[in-house]
Amino acid sequence: MTALVIETAPETRPRPPRTGCVITTDASYAARLAYDGTSWFPQRWTLDGPEPYAVPLPVNQPEEPGTDVLPLTDGRVLIRRGADGSRHLFSLLYPTGPGTGEVPLGAVECAEDAELTLLPPAPDGCSAYALEVGEKSTQVWLVAGGAFGPEHVAEVPGRCSGGVWLDRTGRLLALDREPVDGGPVKTVAVDLERGGEVSPLLQIAEDSDDRLLLADLDSGLILVRSDAATPGELRLGWGVLGSTLPIRFPQGLRVADCEVTPFAVQPGQTLMPESCAVALRVESTAGAAEGLPWLGVWRPVEGTLHQLAAPGGWLAGAGFWSREGVLSLPYVTEEVSCGLARVPAPEPPEPAPEQPPAPEAPVAPRPVPLGKAPLGGRKADG
């Protein structure tokens, strides 16, 4: 593994931690909550030009550190502000010459025991959704793109997390659901055009925790995290939406004393999920070990996880692929306020049909349909 790039703090009062950023599904814009040394403010990045550039979007007063922002493909930025504990205010921000325009959208009143979070950017680029997670159920809200402010669109029994879009229209949403009466977490599909109708999506073993992390709509490649392969250990696995192939848990995605999280899949690989490059954030979990996350690049067709040093100031866990296999990573340093580091994916190996690949443990004993991915007898890694 190449040496890590470690940032050292200046010998002054520590800054608040740098926040990450959210990128639109077409990688045209990004948004983040930035810090100028004294206050927090929203910032929009334009990514679809020759070089990225940032536009600050401050309003009349500084933002709170926990404020959420999410970019839309028309250049506006959704902002969520907390108010009075259980009340959440939504607005759209946009640049207006030297100032910032703001369009208030309304508020969502949550139950006292509920938490509200924004979902990842919707595929249409002009809508935004939020999850209100209560003690026994989860509410799905359309907070931008509706006709009359925030609209309640679905109620899902159980406590839900995650959020992966399964189609290009923003109709099907995958959520990781924890049942009210206990039991393992399972990913379900929620149909937002049918009142939140819920159907099973991912069930690898009856008693395993199964979560969907990413789904690429071009190739059908999915990345999951589950303890079905090794009881008591959550591992990364991959499969294909709608395929009869099993969910596989490659040994190459296991890194000792590290948490490995996928965050971007190479687009445009139609019907070629095995060839998609996947970008992963790798972070040490070894006790008091210190250091910044680094980068992993992996393809299903390979058994190797390429570990690379991340650029200094990387907004860790954020990035996007081009169709040609170049990974762009947003970063901020003292010298660069808005940067993209571009990392070409390692070349895939030449196919060698005469050398069959070693089996990945465990292997499901029968085909895996989309809605249910059973894993029969658990096998130890060989």
Side-chain angles (χ1 to χ4, degrees), residues 29-30 43-55 337-340:
Y29 291 100
Q43 186 183 68
R44 187 197 71 186
W45 290 25
T46 299
L47 304 176
D48 58 357
E51 294 295 334
Y53 64 92
V55 176
S337 61
C338 174
L340 278 182

Side-chain angles (χ1 to χ4, degrees), residues 44 59 63 98 126 218 224 240 247 279 311 315 364 373 380:
R44 187 197 71 186
V59 290
E63 306 293 346
C126 59
D218 290 335
V224 307
V240 182
I247 299 293
L315 302 177

Side-chain angles (χ1 to χ4, degrees), residues 52-142:
Y53 64 92
V55 176
L57 295 173
V59 290
N60 295 329
Q61 62 185 28
E63 306 293 346
E64 295 295 324
T67 300
D68 292 325
V69 292
L70 185 146
L72 304 181
T73 53
D74 63 5
R76 296 183 295 178
V77 172
L78 175 75
I79 186 168
R80 180 210 61 83
R81 302 181 177 102
D84 302 327
S86 60
R87 193 162 183 258
H88 302 265
L89 304 175
F90 294 90
S91 294
L92 289 174
L93 306 179
Y94 59 94
T96 57
T100 301
E102 181 169 0
V103 179
L105 298 177
V108 171
E109 298 278 355
C110 295
E112 291 185 0
D113 61 348
E115 298 179 359
L116 187 138
T117 58
L118 290 179
L119 284 168
D124 64 7
C126 59
S127 304
Y129 292 82
L131 287 185
E132 177 191 348
V133 184
E135 182 179 356
K136 296 184 178 180
S137 66
T138 300
Q139 316 299 324
V140 183
W141 291 88
L142 173 65

